[in-house]
Amino acid sequence: MRGPGSNTGGNRRWRGLALQALLVAALAALAYGAATNAAGKLARQGIVAGFGFLDRAAGFDISQSLIPYAAATATYRDAFLAGLLNTLLVSGLGIVLASGLGFAIGIARFSPNAILRGLARAYVELFRNVPLLLQLLVWYVAVRVALPEPQAPAAWRDAVFLTQRGLFLPRPDLSAGGWLVPGAFAAGLGLSLALVLASRARAARRGRGLPVWGPALALTLGLPALAWIGLALAGRPVPVAWPARGPFDIEGGLALQPEFTALLAGLSTYTAAFIAEIVRAGIASVPRGQAEAAAALGLSRARTLRLVVVPQALRVIVPPLTSQYLNLTKNSSLAVLIGYPDLVHVMMGTVLNQTNQAVEAVAITMAVYLAISLATALAMNLYNARIVAVGRR
């Protein structure tokens, strides 16, 4: 026999489901109305809604591109890919550099050397409290002023040139069989990661892991070198475009522009200040007795940090570190200020002005940043869950 409160609980459940259904329907109606209104206004202006414009000829050049890009033949889809790859490039390198610099400064905050501690603290206070926009302008101006004029470039064996217009390097063509070289590099990274995991598993079982740094370096550098040599021996060498002096500027090769350098330096140094504070807080959360016990066992200060303190601090460091990685990726959109052709500069600037496809350009840009952020958060959450699980054993 049902109690007197059973019907009341069931009614509350159905009322909750009905309210949620009404909310979803209202949101769907609002989205449909907004889409219909936007489509109507675009039609009255003679603009065809949809993403078909991506296949039209772009007709504009992009100063730095990781893929073959020519203004005469490129489409808006090619421009989108070039901007996306530029965003991923500066974000990925910025995360690596900011992490290394931030961890170094955060650990330096606990140095027994008073001067080193003071310099680390001064760095954090300086870069954390100056707006990133201003820092990017300072880096951009400083980089351009410090470099030599295009008429008198700094050269190394006529293969590498440095001017105010960028750093010009030899550019290998990876469009044909050359893709095996970066593929071998990726395989080397994967094998190195597997070696690190195997070393940690062995250390947990036997108290001593496997040698990691030497084999990992050999894998990440040796495999691409073997792939390069193998292609050459097979009669399919990877062609290389060498930079050369032209009548007005350096021509050919791979150009790393001052805009890229300034953006990368600004993002890395700014984010490193926040990461340093996160690392400092994580290390401070580890009980002092852990370091004292390690010292009693004869471990040096460096080994104590690497084997005892930092692994425990990571459980505190990783969650806020994820937010800093996401902020760095989103802050890369400030590249439009200094003219670096990232996704926002290409899609929300040139493409939008030429096509007037405002809704589509905004939707593509938002979807890309959302996908990058979700992927970064997922990877960091999986790593954090692994750290927490290891810590509970």
Side-chain angles (χ1 to χ4, degrees):
M1 187 175 182
R2 295 184 178 181
S6 59
N7 291 333
T8 303
N11 292 335
R12 288 179 179 175
R13 179 185 177 187
W14 285 110
R15 281 200 300 270
L17 292 175
L19 289 175
Q20 294 180 39
L22 288 175
L23 178 60
V24 171
L27 292 175
L30 181 63
Y32 177 77
T36 303
N37 184 40
K41 289 184 176 180
L42 291 175
R44 286 192 294 271
Q45 296 177 9
I47 301 174
V48 179
F51 297 96
F53 73 95
L54 292 174
D55 295 322
R56 301 206 309 257
F60 65 92
D61 198 9
I62 294 180
S63 57
Q64 179 174 319
S65 175
L66 297 179
I67 60 174
Y69 185 91
T73 58
T75 64
Y76 289 117
R77 190 185 306 275
D78 298 327
F80 161 72
L81 290 177
L84 173 60
L85 291 177
N86 286 339
T87 295
L88 293 177
L89 174 65
V90 74
S91 299
L93 292 178
I95 286 174
V96 173
L97 295 178
S99 299
L101 184 59
F103 268 81
I105 295 172
I107 293 174
R109 294 291 299 272
F110 295 92
S111 172
N113 189 313
I115 296 178
L116 186 58
R117 289 200 311 271
L119 289 176
R121 182 171 183 177
Y123 176 93
V124 171
E125 296 301 330
L126 173 63
F127 284 91
R128 189 176 59 170
N129 294 301
V130 176
L132 176 58
L133 202 62
L134 179 59
Q135 292 188 38
L136 290 178
L137 287 175
V138 171
W139 278 108
Y140 184 56
V141 173
V143 168
R144 293 188 68 90
V145 170
L147 296 179
E149 295 287 340
Q151 294 78 12
W156 182 76
R157 296 188 177 182
D158 288 333
V160 178
F161 297 90
L162 181 64
T163 72
Q164 289 184 352
R165 297 181 180 176
L167 175 64
F168 296 84
L169 304 170
R171 179 172 186 168
D173 184 4
L174 306 178
S175 58
W179 64 268
L180 290 174
V181 177
F185 178 74
L189 288 179
L191 292 175
S192 300
L193 178 60
L195 181 61
V196 171
L197 297 177
S199 177
R200 291 182 178 180
R202 179 174 176 177
R205 294 194 309 267
R206 303 183 183 181
R208 185 174 182 180
L210 299 169
V212 172
W213 293 108
L217 186 63
L219 287 171
T220 53
L221 297 181
L223 289 181
L226 290 175
W228 187 288
I229 296 173
L231 288 172
L233 294 177
R236 301 180 60 185
V238 178
V240 178
W242 296 90
R245 297 174 186 264
F248 304 103
D249 199 358
I250 307 300
E251 299 177 352
L254 174 64
L256 299 180
Q257 298 180 337
E259 292 82 2
F260 169 77
T261 305
L263 179 63
L264 181 60
L267 290 175
S268 302
T269 53
Y270 178 77
T271 309
F274 293 90
I275 293 178
E277 281 297 280
I278 294 172
V279 172
R280 183 196 62 80
I283 293 176
S285 68
V286 178
R288 184 176 299 178
Q290 298 289 323
E292 294 174 351
L297 293 174
L299 294 179
S300 64
R301 181 178 177 85
R303 289 177 64 84
T304 299
L305 279 172
R306 184 169 63 88
L307 300 177
V308 178
V309 177
V310 173
Q312 297 183 68
L314 283 177
R315 286 176 288 176
V316 179
I317 292 173
V318 170
L321 186 64
T322 304
S323 298
Q324 293 305 318
Y325 287 168
L326 297 178
N327 288 337
L328 187 148
T329 303
K330 291 179 286 189
N331 286 338
S332 67
S333 60
L334 294 175
V336 67
L337 175 71
I338 57 177
Y340 177 70
D342 73 323
L343 180 65
V344 173
H345 184 276
V346 173
M347 293 300 297
M348 301 301 297
T350 310
V351 173
L352 177 58
N353 291 332
Q354 288 189 358
T355 63
N356 290 325
Q357 306 282 163
V359 176
E360 293 82 354
V362 171
I364 291 174
T365 306
M366 291 178 60
V368 168
Y369 275 100
L370 179 62
I372 295 174
S373 298
L374 291 177
T376 303
L378 176 61
M380 294 299 292
N381 288 337
L382 291 175
Y383 180 65
N384 185 53
R386 183 177 178 277
I387 292 174
V388 172
V390 171
R392 291 176 178 174
R393 291 179 183 174

